[in-house]
Amino acid sequence: MLAINTDFQFHFDSKSFASFFPFYIVMDKDFKIHSFGDGLTEFLPNLEIQSNFFDFFTIKSSSLDGKSIEQPNELVSKLFTIESLQKNNLLLRGQFKKYEDLFLFAGTPCFVSIGKESDYGDSENFQNTLFDSNIDLLKVLENQEISNHDLKGLVYKIKEQNEALLKDKEEIKKLSLVASYNTNGVVLTDLNGTIFWSNDAYLKLSELSNNEVLNKSILELFSSETINDEALEKIKNCYKRGVDFDCEVFYKRKKEPSLWTRIKGQPVLDSNGLILQYFVITEDITKEKNIQNRLKQSQSTLSSFLMNLQKGILLEDENRKIVVVNNEFCSMFSIGMSPEMMVGLDSKQFIENSKEIFKNSDQFISRINQILEKKDAVFNEELELEDGRYFERSFIPIVNEDIYQGVLWSYSDATLNKNYKQNLNYEKGKYRRIIANMNIGLLEVDNEDTILLANQSFSDMSGYTIEELIGKKGSDLFLDAQAKESLIDKSEERKNGKSDSYELLIKNKNGDIKNWLISGAPNYNINGEVVGSIGIHLDITEQKRQEEQLVLLSIIAEKNINSVIICDSEGKIEWVNNSFISMSGYSFEEVLGKKPGHVLQGKDSSLEQIHYLRTQIRNGLPFKCELINYKKNGEKYWVNLQGQALYNKEGKILKYFAIEEDITNKKTLEHQKEELANSVAKNNKDLEGYALIASHDLKAPIRSIYSLITMVKEDNELNEQTNEYLSIIEKKLEKMDHQIEGILVYAQIDKEDFINEEVNCNEIVKNSIESILIPDKINVNIIRDLPIIYADRFRLQQLFQNVISNAVNFIDKPKGIVEIDYKEERNSFIFSIKDNGPGVAEENQNKIFIISKYLNINGSSTGIGLSIAKKIVELFDGRIWVESELGVGTTFFIELKKHKK
């Protein structure tokens, strides 16, 4: 018996299933169609995936009784007839099955009238009346125990394929839209490069028709004598390998000029990764190429320019690698390499090696690091070099779309410019100082009379500070209403380019009325436009006052007891007063038109004074001298002559005037005084000689008497009274000897040469104290260290020794004190010797320095020491004075100058 295996399964893919059921429909719970058979496309060309089932079909069944269908589950396992809503009268008869969340309708067309369906009832009657083989197959399919798993898998497979197909259709639709509307040329080719589609942009670009393009190889169309063989070979190889290509070719067209194009090709793959076709884009890059060529040319020009620029240029990338460096930079930084060899190297090393040429090398490096950290542009930063030169450095960061890409350094030698600026600033400063310190007031105003600049002289003239003047209107500060009107006219003249001088009455800050002489000129800008005026102001108030007094002075001159002479600019007499006529004996007519010297001077007139007068008059300078003149009768007389030139506003000499005072009597008295002084000098000289002789002659008998008394005392036994008398005689002799010695010293003080040198006053005073016999009851103290001065050492010791000795000798207190101190003035030292002696009465304080006045002379003093001290101080060009209070004490002050004599 033959065994038959009934346990087998059917396996369908979407294509094989559609061959059995070309009118199948798969939809979801929302009645959205996911897939449909090819048979439906014939009748319903507008049917698409994701369409709503009820937009294209309606269900006919007597079991529904016209009810609306809300869920597909209501249709499962029932036989229906569905009718197309299109006007093609398509009827499909079949059954719905549910698999997971999808619903499958498998049916066949039905060509009977839809009105007869009710005559046959539902399933069974419908089958018997309208027999169809496909319906039988559905019946078999329904009755067979086919695996739901396989059928479900088939449905999912169909769903996936249709979804992929839908996606591919969407992509193809988008691609076609992109290709159609792309401004670049687009063609689609097969795997051999044969074009089967092109867009309008490609036809326009190539100047070919659609027929000339379709079914032509892209390699054939691009081949010409202008295309690069290497680019064409690249395209061929990419087609063979099935890979992308991207190249630039020079494309020759029919009519229009050839152009540069960029050809980019990309294979189009199916879902299995197999190449279906090629998508090729042709882009016109002529403008871009031209720009690139111009850019390259500009880069070449710029590179040449930078290499030959008279500035040191260093271009670094973001890592400080050298991109460009020129010859000037290498020269400025003493780099022994060519610019070409430096490209790509680290610039930090070169900068580090060159830092020593700068005055502050560490600061040079730290400043570069600071600039690079901030990345802010720096322009014309000054650098000082060790050799005295100056560089100017600029820093320009290179930023593209906010991304730092490097830096451009620029160095230039600014030494000449620096020196020029320094000289210019010096000249500016010099002229500013001249303007600021000139004795003439300078004022600058704009066209509205607003003060822009004033110098110090103008400030002094007006009484206002410069700060108070700037920004104010000059007319408001100085003028009344009437004067303002006249100034308005002057301002209009300035605007028309006119310069002039005029006098103006003004009122200064203190309210004083002043007369100013003003010289004004227009002030221009660089375009030659009048922007204001500059005025020179001279206060002529005093001159005007003098002019007003000139008439009065002429009247006074006429009545002057002295001789008055007025000469013209050539020095010839124009006018003389009556005193001149009386003094000289000449009439006015006799001297008119003559020079005074030719009339008045004679053989005894001093040639030196005559030369002096002529020089002063020739130079327009004042003159004053004493001169012998001669009267008309030949009599000599002395005159005190003084005069000067008179100038006009322009500084030219108009006249000369001179006043002569008759000093004949004065000169006679001076001659008599001179003779008397000579006589006194001769007597003093004789007296000095006599003093020397007298001192010598007087000292000899004194010494003899002193020796006899000593012998008497030694050889004879004398009583006490006699010894006392002899001691008194000895003391008197000793004092007489000291007085004679003092007179001799006083007479010789100014006869010996001075030897000025640095003298330590401490040593001088200490030596003086040691040479003086100081009783135990008296203390002599130096309060502080005394200064070093320039003086004659011997005379300085005489000075201090006499003053200190005087203080010691006159102290009458049980305990005496002498204090020596000083204070420093700007140009001198003032020494003080203070004692607690009896003091000096006020009426005698000026007499104690006179040699002929011996006041309160005690037994140990000669009374001449202070006279010697005063004479020494006067030789030192100093002074000595005393302050004293009776019963309290006396202080002597000695002022000596610091500098060398």
Side-chain angles (χ1 to χ4, degrees):
M1 185 175 179
L2 181 61
I4 300 175
N5 182 11
T6 60
D7 187 14
F8 63 90
Q9 297 178 344
F10 294 100
H11 298 279
F12 299 96
D13 58 17
S14 59
K15 290 183 179 181
S16 59
F17 185 80
S19 64
F20 287 104
F21 301 100
F23 295 95
Y24 79 88
I25 298 173
V26 178
M27 64 182 182
D28 60 19
K29 64 179 181 177
D30 296 322
F31 301 103
K32 296 291 183 182
I33 296 174
H34 283 246
S35 180
F36 55 86
D38 294 338
L40 290 175
T41 304
E42 230 178 291
F43 295 95
L44 301 170
N46 295 327
L47 182 63
E48 293 182 346
I49 303 300
Q50 295 298 312
S51 297
N52 190 286
F53 178 84
F54 290 109
D55 289 342
F56 289 88
F57 303 100
T58 181
I59 297 177
K60 299 294 183 178
S61 174
S62 59
S63 62
L64 295 176
D65 297 329
K67 296 179 181 178
S68 61
I69 302 171
E70 296 181 359
Q71 295 290 335
N73 288 327
E74 299 176 17
L75 304 176
V76 174
S77 301
K78 295 180 181 180
L79 193 63
F80 295 101
T81 299
I82 64 175
E83 180 182 4
S84 168
L85 295 177
Q86 306 293 324
K87 295 180 180 180
N88 50 28
N89 296 321
L90 175 65
L91 292 175
L92 297 176
R93 184 171 55 191
Q95 188 178 31
F96 280 93
K97 283 291 186 179
K98 181 179 180 181
Y99 296 98
E100 298 293 336
D101 55 348
L102 297 175
F103 300 87
L104 171 66
F105 172 80
T108 59
C110 179
F111 301 101
V112 297
S113 173
I114 193 65
K116 295 182 179 182
E117 180 187 357
S118 58
D119 297 335
Y120 298 103
D122 282 335
S123 179
E124 183 176 354
N125 293 331
F126 188 67
Q127 292 178 43
N128 294 330
T129 304
L130 301 172
F131 175 77
D132 186 87
S133 60
N134 286 326
I135 295 176
D136 291 341
L137 182 58
L138 282 174
K139 188 69 175 178
V140 172
L141 182 61
E142 182 180 10
N143 295 328
Q144 290 297 324
E145 294 181 358
I146 299 173
S147 171
N148 285 337
H149 176 74
D150 291 339
L151 185 57
K152 182 170 67 175
L154 175 62
V155 172
Y156 274 120
K157 185 70 173 177
I158 293 172
K159 175 186 174 184
E160 290 174 359
Q161 289 179 348
N162 278 287
E163 286 179 347
L165 180 61
L166 181 62
K167 184 175 180 182
D168 289 342
K169 287 174 69 178
E170 289 294 330
E171 290 296 326
I172 292 172
K173 183 178 180 181
K174 291 178 183 178
L175 184 60
S176 64
L177 288 174
V178 170
S180 298
Y181 293 103
N182 202 317
T183 56
N184 297 318
V186 178
V187 296
L188 299 179
T189 74
D190 60 15
L191 302 184
N192 296 318
T194 302
I195 300 172
F196 62 83
W197 183 89
S198 75
N199 69 348
D200 292 338
Y202 179 79
L203 299 178
K204 183 178 179 181
L205 179 70
S206 64
E207 296 183 347
L208 299 173
S209 65
N210 200 37
N211 292 333
E212 290 175 311
V213 170
L214 294 181
N215 299 319
K216 296 289 180 64
S217 170
I218 192 171
L219 300 175
E220 178 185 350
L221 292 178
F222 286 155
S223 296
S224 69
E225 66 274 10
T226 59
I227 194 169
N228 187 309
D229 292 338
E230 183 180 344
L232 189 61
E233 191 65 29
K234 178 180 178 181
I235 295 173
K236 290 179 181 179
N237 291 333
C238 289
Y239 263 104
K240 289 179 182 179
R241 294 161 51 205
V243 295
D244 297 356
F245 57 84
D246 185 349
C247 58
E248 296 177 0
V249 299
F250 192 64
Y251 184 71
K252 186 174 182 181
R253 298 187 289 181
K254 280 185 176 181
K255 299 177 181 178
E256 295 295 326
S258 301
L259 50 80
W260 276 97
T261 60
R262 183 177 185 181
I263 304 174
K264 296 173 67 175
Q266 180 179 354
V268 179
L269 308 179
D270 64 8
S271 58
N272 296 320
L274 298 176
I275 300 175
L276 299 176
Q277 58 195 23
Y278 258 85
F279 184 85
V280 182
I281 297 177
T282 304
E283 179 184 0
D284 183 356
I285 60 169
T286 305
K287 288 184 179 180
E288 181 182 339
K289 268 292 186 180
N290 290 336
I291 291 172
Q292 288 178 353
N293 291 335
R294 287 197 296 271
L295 181 59
K296 288 179 180 179
Q297 185 177 2
S298 298
Q299 287 175 339
S300 176
T301 303
L302 178 60
S303 177
S304 176
F305 172 75
L306 291 178
M307 293 303 292
N308 297 286
L309 192 65
Q310 296 303 309
K311 283 189 175 184
I313 298 298
L314 175 64
L315 180 62
E316 303 175 355
D317 64 14
E318 66 274 17
N319 298 316
R320 298 204 65 189
K321 301 298 182 183
I322 296 175
V323 178
V324 175
V325 64
N326 69 350
N327 293 315
E328 185 67 16
F329 182 89
C330 296
S331 174
M332 293 175 71
F333 283 82
S334 302
I335 298 173
M337 291 179 65
S338 67
E340 295 77 11
M341 294 177 63
M342 294 175 63
V343 174
L345 301 180
D346 192 340
S347 67
K348 289 184 290 186
Q349 187 61 43
F350 291 99
I351 297 299
E352 183 69 29
N353 293 340
S354 303
K355 70 178 182 180
E356 298 302 329
I357 68 174
F358 294 94
K359 190 165 186 179
N360 193 330
S361 56
D362 292 335
Q363 185 180 12
F364 171 73
I365 297 297
S366 63
R367 177 58 179 154
I368 287 178
N369 295 333
Q370 183 184 27
I371 291 173
L372 289 171
E373 183 179 352
K374 291 186 176 181
K375 294 182 176 63
D376 293 333
V378 175
F379 297 100
N380 300 328
E381 187 175 65
E382 189 176 277
L383 304 171
E384 185 175 1
L385 278 71
E386 283 287 351
D387 59 7
R389 291 182 297 156
Y390 289 88
F391 284 176
E392 282 186 350
R393 173 176 60 198
S394 296
F395 166 89
I396 302 174
I398 300 173
V399 179
N400 185 17
E401 296 181 355
D402 296 331
I403 299 175
Y404 175 73
Q405 295 184 335
V407 59
L408 176 67
W409 298 95
S410 169
Y411 290 85
S412 60
D413 192 331
T415 306
L416 291 177
N417 190 37
K418 176 75 173 178
N419 294 336
Y420 171 76
K421 286 181 178 179
Q422 287 178 341
N423 292 333
L424 182 62
N425 289 334
Y426 171 77
E427 292 298 325
K428 286 181 178 178
K430 181 174 71 176
Y431 288 112
R432 285 196 193 99
R433 290 191 295 273
I434 291 173
I435 291 173
N437 297 302
M438 63 192 299
N439 292 325
I440 299 176
L442 178 71
L443 191 71
E444 180 184 349
V445 298
D446 62 15
N447 286 329
E448 305 301 324
D449 194 37
T450 302
I451 297 174
L452 305 176
L453 173 71
N455 70 347
Q456 188 59 46
S457 293
F458 186 88
S459 172
D460 297 337
M461 288 170 56
S462 66
Y464 292 95
T465 65
I466 294 177
E467 291 74 15
E468 291 173 328
L469 291 168
I470 302 302
K472 304 294 192 309
K473 289 186 178 295
S475 56
D476 293 343
L477 291 178
F478 305 112
L479 304 181
D480 57 20
Q482 183 178 356
K484 284 183 181 179
E485 290 296 326
S486 64
L487 192 65
I488 291 173
D489 295 337
K490 295 295 180 183
S491 298
E492 291 301 319
E493 292 177 357
R494 296 291 172 272
K495 292 178 183 178
N496 294 326
K498 184 178 178 181
S499 303
D500 65 353
S501 298
Y502 56 92
E503 293 181 10
L504 197 64
L505 285 175
I506 65 97
K507 183 183 290 186
N508 65 12
K509 185 177 181 181
N510 296 327
D512 302 326
I513 302 300
K514 297 289 183 179
N515 199 304
W516 285 359
L517 175 62
I518 303 173
S519 295
N523 190 21
Y524 300 90
N525 63 13
I526 59 176
N527 297 320
E529 301 167 341
V530 176
V531 294
S533 62
I534 296 177
I536 301 297
H537 298 68
L538 182 64
D539 189 344
I540 59 171
T541 307
E542 182 62 24
Q543 181 180 336
K544 293 294 289 185
R545 186 185 65 80
Q546 291 175 358
E547 288 178 358
E548 292 170 357
Q549 293 178 346
L550 186 58
V551 176
L552 179 61
L553 291 175
S554 63
I555 296 173
I556 295 172
E558 180 63 36
K559 304 298 182 181
N560 200 317
I561 62 173
N562 294 319
S563 172
V564 178
I565 306 170
I566 297 179
C567 301
D568 62 16
S569 59
E570 295 179 357
K572 295 179 181 180
I573 296 175
E574 284 186 341
W575 181 85
V576 294
N577 66 352
N578 290 329
S579 295
F580 174 85
I581 295 172
S582 301
M583 189 182 299
S584 67
Y586 289 99
S587 67
F588 175 71
E589 290 75 13
E590 289 176 319
V591 297
L592 182 62
K594 296 180 181 178
K595 292 188 177 182
H598 295 169
V599 176
L600 301 174
Q601 295 162 9
K603 64 176 182 178
D604 290 336
S605 301
S606 171
L607 295 177
E608 181 180 354
Q609 296 295 350
I610 292 172
H611 177 72
Y612 160 76
L613 286 172
R614 289 176 179 173
T615 302
Q616 294 296 100
I617 291 171
R618 185 169 56 249
N619 294 327
L621 300 174
F623 50 87
K624 182 178 182 181
C625 66
E626 294 179 352
L627 189 67
I628 292 176
N629 277 351
Y630 287 83
K631 296 182 180 182
K632 182 178 179 181
N633 61 12
E635 182 184 346
K636 293 191 297 186
Y637 66 99
W638 277 93
V639 293
N640 181 3
L641 175 65
Q642 56 183 329
Q644 67 181 49
L646 297 176
Y647 295 85
N648 64 10
K649 295 177 181 179
E650 288 74 32
K652 293 183 179 180
I653 296 176
L654 290 177
K655 302 180 185 299
Y656 295 92
F657 80 90
I659 299 175
E660 294 181 340
E661 179 188 1
D662 189 344
I663 59 170
T664 304
N665 293 333
K666 177 184 175 184
K667 294 299 287 187
T668 301
L669 290 174
E670 287 179 355
H671 180 68
Q672 292 173 353
K673 286 181 181 179
E674 184 177 352
E675 289 180 347
L676 181 61
N678 291 335
S679 176
V680 170
K682 183 177 181 303
N683 292 335
N684 286 338
K685 187 174 182 181
D686 293 340
L687 182 61
E688 289 171 3
Y690 172 75
L692 291 174
I693 295 171
S695 62
H696 180 270
D697 292 344
L698 288 174
K699 284 182 120 182
I702 289 174
R703 285 194 293 270
S704 298
I705 296 170
Y706 192 83
S707 298
L708 289 172
I709 292 173
T710 303
M711 292 172 59
V712 170
K713 289 175 67 175
E714 290 178 351
D715 297 338
N716 300 287
E717 292 183 2
L718 304 174
N719 59 31
E720 183 178 347
Q721 185 68 36
T722 302
N723 284 328
E724 184 178 349
Y725 289 153
L726 291 175
S727 295
I728 291 172
I729 294 171
E730 284 180 330
K731 289 181 180 179
K732 293 296 183 181
L733 290 172
E734 183 178 357
K735 183 173 182 180
M736 185 180 295
D737 184 62
H738 288 162
Q739 287 177 335
I740 294 171
E741 183 66 29
I743 292 171
L744 184 61
V745 170
Y746 184 83
Q748 294 296 316
I749 284 175
D750 55 352
K751 304 303 178 185
E752 298 178 5
D753 293 336
F754 269 76
I755 301 177
N756 273 343
E757 58 182 326
E758 282 190 354
V759 180
N760 189 325
C761 291
N762 270 324
E763 296 178 1
I764 294 296
V765 171
K766 287 179 181 178
N767 291 337
S768 298
I769 293 172
E770 291 175 358
S771 64
I772 298 171
L773 181 60
I774 299 176
D776 294 338
K777 68 173 186 175
I778 297 175
N779 289 325
V780 180
N781 300 318
I782 300 174
I783 301 303
R784 56 175 170 162
D785 287 345
L786 302 177
I788 295 174
I789 66 172
Y790 283 93
D792 183 274
R793 182 182 298 273
F794 173 71
R795 287 180 174 82
L796 190 63
Q797 182 157 338
Q798 281 184 314
L799 169 62
F800 281 108
Q801 185 171 323
N802 278 284
V803 178
I804 296 171
S805 175
N806 180 81
V808 170
N809 290 335
F810 282 91
I811 289 177
D812 57 352
K813 302 292 190 306
K815 185 173 182 179
I817 298 174
V818 178
E819 294 179 343
I820 302 165
D821 200 358
Y822 84 100
K823 68 176 180 178
E824 185 175 359
E825 298 291 339
R826 181 177 179 181
N827 297 315
S828 63
F829 295 107
I830 298 178
F831 298 89
S832 62
I833 296 93
K834 181 180 179 182
D835 64 55
N836 63 341
V840 180
E842 185 175 354
E843 62 271 17
N844 294 325
Q845 289 178 7
N846 290 328
K847 300 176 181 179
I848 60 177
F849 299 107
I850 301 174
I851 193 170
S852 60
K853 305 291 184 181
Y854 298 149
L855 305 172
N856 295 327
I857 299 176
N858 62 16
S860 59
S861 173
T862 65
I864 201 171
L866 294 180
S867 299
I868 294 173
K870 181 176 176 61
K871 194 170 184 180
I872 293 173
V873 169
E874 290 173 347
L875 287 173
F876 286 155
D877 198 18
R879 64 190 183 109
I880 183 170
W881 70 96
V882 65
E883 294 179 2
S884 183
E885 184 179 353
L886 290 174
V888 178
T890 302
T891 303
F892 284 89
F893 294 97
I894 302 169
E895 182 176 15
L896 299 176
K897 293 184 177 180
K898 290 181 178 180
H899 57 77
K900 296 181 180 180
K901 186 175 179 181

